[in-house]
Amino acid sequence: MSFSDSLPISESVGVFLGVSGIDWLADGYAEPMRAALAGVAAGAVLYAVRSWLKRRRSN
């Protein structure tokens, strides 16, 4: 499995769209920077968990 196969791109985009959508519905405008930061943070957490689980299974 290569590096790009384990990147959670679709999950990060989903978090970005979810945060910006909720922001837009609640306040009437979206803050794309906050949504992008949330998406990147969620992607980093998912990548770290997947890497940890992969190492744990191989041992």
Side-chain angles (χ1 to χ4, degrees):
M1 181 182 270
S2 69
F3 175 73
S4 63
D5 289 341
S6 61
L7 287 178
I9 294 173
S10 60
E11 291 92 343
S12 298
V13 170
V15 169
F16 171 78
L17 292 175
V19 169
S20 61
I22 293 294
D23 215 16
W24 179 64
L25 287 173
D27 298 335
Y29 61 92
E31 294 181 29
M33 196 61 169
R34 186 171 78 173
L37 287 174
V40 169
V45 168
L46 285 171
Y47 179 75
V49 169
R50 286 179 184 172
S51 296
W52 178 70
L53 288 174
K54 183 179 173 185
R55 271 189 272 129
R56 187 171 168 218
R57 284 186 200 134
S58 66
N59 289 337

